[in-house]
Amino acid sequence: MIRTRGDVEDALAFERVIEQYSGADWLVNEIRHYFKRTLKRLDVTSRSLIALIEPGSCFAGALLELALACDRQYMLDGPRESTSDNSDNSDSSDNEEDEPAQIVLSASNFGTFPMANGLSRLGSRFHGDDDSLAKPRSEIGRRIEAREALELGLVTDALDDIDWDDETRITLEERASLSPDALTGMEANLRFVGPETMESRIFARLSAWQNWIFVRANASGPEGALRRYGTGRRADFDRDRV
Amino acid sequence: MSIDYTEKIPNNVDLAGDRKLRRALESWRPNFLNWWKTMGPALPCADVYLRTAVDVGKEGWAHFDHVPMEEYRWGVFLAERNHDRRIAFGEQKGEPVWQRVPGEYRAELQRLIVVQGDTEPASVEQQRRLGETAPSLYDLRNLFQVNVEEGRHLWAMVYLLHAYFGRNGREEAEALLRRNSGDLDSPRILGAFNEETPDWLSFYMFTYFTDRDGKYQLGTLEESAFDPLSRTCEFMLKEEAHHMFVGTTGIDRVVARTAQLIREHDTDQVAAYGGIPLDVIQRYLNFHYSVSLDLFGSEQSTNAARYFTAGLKGRWQEERRRDDHVLMEDSAMVDVVRDGAVTTHEVPALLALNHDLRSEYISDCQSGLKR
């Protein structure tokens, strides 16, 4: 699960510094590459990644890449209301959580941090659909709230605070109950769309299938899904990830 | 917990303290009332002597009074919670029951609840016009009682969908009102609930056979490891008993009258004397028994097996049975048609659970027929 916390403007300001000096200053340049490699590690992880975009988070520009590297993004629609049921004496203390969750696109989301297949994460997301990719490009710099993010295809779902806790809990539990290896294979396919590069041949879907499906017994072993299918018994999965 | 009748929606689930649930149920309520007005009993009437649930305990749970039907207090009532209750069967036998839906079984549980919930309003729709031809005031009152309680059972299922299944559950709750019995475009889910109930003999047969299926299905859900579902069904079964009583006594009276006329006039052609001939009764019985049997699903079912193993749906009176409640090694005999003849065939017990339930139902029906 990936969450962020902080100020959107701060995140964007850091990003501008990196951008401005990465050609001239070796340290800043290293930081940029380091962040690029961190994102690539997320792309090849054998775990399901889910981003929770809540009020007070700072998924902006380069940090929005964290959410885009995830398999699913859930965004809280509207403010988070107090969970206790005393609407009569509403506390009027305005903190950052009173503002709804927002995300901000920047130029970093369009090629600064390429994936192993040579595409940006948005480029992979909208592969073969240039219109859908052009739309978010025209929204650079603007604060985007949940409904709009959903319309732009930037998040999986926009949930209001009534549903948030239940839906996210059930999503996580549901996912955890499925075969982790099958999910890894499927997610690697979905993460690395389109062109094959030398890098993606080594790190992307081919090695995911090799490592997590072909050599493991979760499907074909004595307690695997194929043997147990139709018996009314549940398959036992090896949930170890490394 | 006692039932709170000061609320808009009477309940014993602390609706007042649950903002989420209250918002969901209160926004569903007008749709339900609208549905009741357009699809509920068609006979206009002032007020009806009805039973209303007021408590769920042993010391009496109902209260009888004259109420206009539209103002019937449909509410949400669960049987008392047993804090030590443990899962009685399946892979997780012995573990504490669940107070919320495990993500792993969300889809299956939601499906079970939607299918059960779909049958409740369906029968109200099927019986919509029966009031116009009621043979007596007593029968009319019974009909309305059955109708309002089926309406309440819909509430019970909608409560579960709203309280435990998030947005998806709310959408399903809406859909329960959008499907209509016999509708060509959006029919009810199960076949028997799309058949017509055009006359009172069908109504008695329906309450005898189809409601009895309901009793068995509720009985298996009462065993569920999902505790709120179990407690809901436990209380619904109390009300369901009366529905079957309506069927039993209804058929009793019809058959008794026929027998009386046969004796008086020494002929089995009793139609001319205002009786229903025995072969017509037999035909009604054949029809309703068959469509009700279909409700049990196929004899060999991997779905039923999965539900059992996961603890979602048990067997009839699971806790009174003497076996291991896991059924990994057992086998059962089911009837199959092979080369044009009926023979029996041995299958793993887990796959034959529908057959098991249907056998319980059949023996129950048989004892009624003998009478």
Side-chain angles (χ1 to χ4, degrees):
Chain A
M1 251 198 300
I2 293 192
R3 289 185 163 104
T4 55
R5 178 149 295 272
D7 188 76
V8 168
E9 285 311 320
D10 287 351
L12 292 171
F14 280 124
E15 187 182 316
R16 277 195 295 276
V17 172
I18 302 272
E19 196 189 339
Q20 190 179 347
Y21 295 102
S22 67
D25 188 298
W26 69 269
L27 176 64
V28 174
N29 198 31
E30 278 306 310
I31 291 172
R32 188 172 64 83
H33 282 300
Y34 192 70
F35 189 65
K36 179 188 75 183
R37 287 193 292 273
T38 306
L39 291 169
K40 281 188 177 183
R41 284 300 299 269
L42 284 177
D43 293 336
V44 299
T45 183
S46 58
R47 289 158 174 82
S48 299
L49 295 173
I50 292 177
L52 299 181
I53 309 175
E54 294 160 288
S57 67
C58 55
F59 287 102
L63 288 182
L64 179 62
E65 286 293 297
L66 287 173
L68 295 174
C70 291
D71 301 294
R72 295 190 188 182
Q73 302 79 17
Y74 291 97
M75 191 162 177
L76 185 63
D77 181 13
R80 196 200 286 282
E81 288 173 33
S82 61
T83 39
S84 59
D85 191 47
N86 43 5
S87 41
D88 312 324
N89 52 355
S90 56
D91 50 300
S92 54
S93 63
D94 52 347
N95 52 28
E96 57 183 12
E97 302 238 333
D98 282 351
E99 253 188 76
Q102 296 166 329
I103 56 176
V104 181
L105 290 155
S106 77
S108 315
N109 304 115
F110 297 88
T112 312
F113 304 106
M115 298 173 65
N117 57 10
L119 303 174
S120 67
R121 285 176 189 77
L122 281 177
S124 292
R125 173 176 282 245
F126 299 119
H127 184 66
D129 184 359
D130 292 340
D131 289 349
S132 296
L133 185 57
K135 265 183 227 152
R137 198 187 283 274
S138 64
E139 304 294 339
I140 285 180
R142 210 164 61 75
R143 288 173 178 246
I144 300 171
E145 293 187 4
R147 291 284 173 83
E148 204 183 345
L150 184 63
E151 275 164 30
L152 288 168
L154 298 175
V155 297
T156 315
D157 207 350
L159 305 163
D160 63 19
D161 78 310
I162 289 194
D163 292 327
W164 180 259
D165 290 340
D166 267 353
E167 293 285 333
T168 50
R169 172 184 70 83
I170 287 181
T171 300
L172 293 171
E173 286 184 9
E174 210 161 34
R175 225 157 162 77
S177 71
L178 297 167
S179 159
D181 295 353
L183 287 178
T184 297
M186 188 188 73
E187 281 155 3
N189 277 19
L190 291 170
R191 288 173 192 173
F192 299 100
V193 297
E196 205 72 80
T197 62
M198 185 53 75
E199 197 183 333
S200 72
R201 280 188 197 114
I202 298 167
F203 293 111
R205 52 191 164 195
L206 295 180
S207 46
W209 280 74
Q210 188 67 50
N211 292 338
W212 297 105
I213 294 175
F214 298 148
V215 303
R216 284 167 59 102
N218 278 353
S220 55
E223 290 168 347
L226 290 173
R227 294 280 177 85
R228 287 271 171 97
Y229 180 76
T231 63
R233 300 178 62 183
R234 198 160 51 154
D236 270 341
F237 297 125
D238 179 353
R239 293 180 190 278
D240 275 350
R241 292 282 79 191
V242 283
Chain B
M1 192 175 176
S2 62
I3 290 177
D4 185 354
Y5 262 96
T6 56
E7 283 281 319
K8 204 167 178 187
I9 301 166
N11 70 89
N12 66 346
V13 293
D14 189 24
L15 202 54
D18 191 336
R19 179 176 64 95
K20 256 171 25 176
L21 183 59
R22 205 176 58 213
R23 185 147 34 135
L25 281 173
E26 283 181 0
S27 69
W28 185 79
R29 189 168 173 269
N31 298 339
F32 170 82
L33 292 175
N34 189 30
W35 168 82
W36 182 265
K37 279 198 195 101
T38 50
M39 300 305 288
L43 189 72
C45 49
D47 49 359
V48 186
Y49 191 69
L50 289 174
R51 166 176 88 176
T52 308
V54 288
D55 201 352
V56 294
K58 284 196 175 69
E59 313 74 45
W61 51 276
H63 139 100
F64 295 82
D65 201 3
H66 288 272
V67 219
M69 254 198 300
E70 276 118 293
E71 285 165 36
Y72 187 78
R73 306 298 306 275
W74 284 285
V76 178
F77 313 118
L78 270 61
E80 294 291 340
R81 180 168 164 196
N82 167 4
H83 287 269
D84 300 324
R85 188 170 167 250
R86 287 177 180 271
I87 302 175
F89 59 93
E91 279 183 340
Q92 298 165 75
K93 194 181 113 187
E95 293 174 22
V97 290
W98 315 316
Q99 296 305 330
R100 51 185 200 175
V101 179
E104 181 172 1
Y105 305 122
R106 182 216 328 227
E108 283 95 344
L109 274 172
Q110 184 175 305
R111 184 71 192 156
L112 285 172
I113 291 171
V114 165
V115 171
Q116 180 63 43
D118 193 64
T119 64
E120 313 290 357
S123 61
V124 177
E125 293 165 358
Q126 285 171 304
Q127 296 152 14
R128 177 169 155 68
R129 308 208 75 91
L130 280 183
E132 294 159 4
T133 54
S136 71
L137 197 57
Y138 167 80
D139 288 292
L140 187 63
R141 194 181 283 162
N142 277 342
L143 171 72
F144 288 156
Q145 184 69 54
V146 169
N147 285 168
V148 291
E149 281 174 359
E150 297 294 1
R152 204 202 66 72
H153 294 177
L154 173 63
W155 272 92
M157 292 294 128
V158 165
Y159 157 73
L160 292 176
L161 289 172
H162 278 175
Y164 299 98
F165 293 89
R167 174 189 286 186
N168 221 286
R170 289 203 303 276
E171 283 162 11
E172 289 291 354
E174 289 294 322
L176 286 176
L177 297 178
R178 271 202 304 275
R179 284 187 293 270
N180 291 134
S181 175
D183 191 315
L184 287 180
D185 296 324
S186 61
R188 292 289 171 187
I189 296 170
L190 298 172
F193 294 90
N194 287 312
E195 303 290 349
E196 279 181 74
T197 310
D199 52 59
W200 278 76
L201 186 55
S202 327
F203 174 64
Y204 296 141
M205 291 289 176
F206 183 93
T207 42
Y208 189 89
F209 289 106
T210 310
D211 276 337
R212 195 168 303 270
D213 160 76
K215 166 183 158 189
Y216 281 87
Q217 300 296 346
L218 289 175
T220 60
L221 294 176
E222 188 189 354
E223 304 292 339
S224 178
F226 178 41
D227 202 37
L229 175 62
S230 162
R231 289 163 59 207
T232 306
C233 291
E234 190 184 332
F235 187 67
M236 284 163 72
L237 278 168
K238 273 192 181 167
E239 294 172 320
E240 203 72 44
H242 171 254
H243 304 185
M244 280 172 294
F245 165 84
V246 170
T248 312
T249 55
I251 298 175
D252 259 1
R253 282 180 292 145
V254 173
V255 173
R257 177 70 180 150
T258 302
Q260 188 192 357
L261 288 171
I262 290 176
R263 234 176 295 132
E264 274 173 23
H265 301 280
D266 198 24
T267 168
D268 55 3
Q269 302 300 312
V270 293
Y273 306 104
I276 301 176
L278 283 177
D279 57 337
V280 173
I281 296 178
Q282 184 66 47
R283 256 183 254 172
Y284 270 77
L285 193 151
N286 293 348
F287 174 75
H288 285 273
Y289 179 62
S290 314
V291 296
S292 300
L293 277 192
D294 285 347
L295 296 173
F296 287 89
S298 70
E299 290 91 342
Q300 290 187 51
S301 162
T302 52
N303 275 344
R306 275 191 309 123
Y307 294 157
F308 183 82
T309 305
L312 309 181
K313 188 176 172 184
R315 288 170 296 170
W316 179 247
Q317 302 204 318
E318 182 73 47
E319 283 165 57
R320 289 198 207 160
R321 294 184 182 223
R322 275 188 225 142
D323 55 25
D324 67 354
H325 302 283
V326 184
L327 304 183
M328 292 290 179
E329 316 297 335
D330 299 355
S331 62
M333 306 300 284
V334 297
D335 298 337
V336 289
V337 178
R338 196 180 293 143
D339 304 328
V342 179
T343 55
T344 56
H345 173 58
E346 186 171 352
V347 297
L350 267 180
L351 295 182
L353 290 170
N354 282 345
H355 183 261
D356 177 271
L357 184 64
R358 206 180 70 183
S359 311
E360 293 279 350
Y361 169 79
I362 291 173
S363 58
D364 191 359
C365 289
Q366 250 159 7
S367 63
L369 280 182
K370 274 195 204 119
R371 198 167 61 221

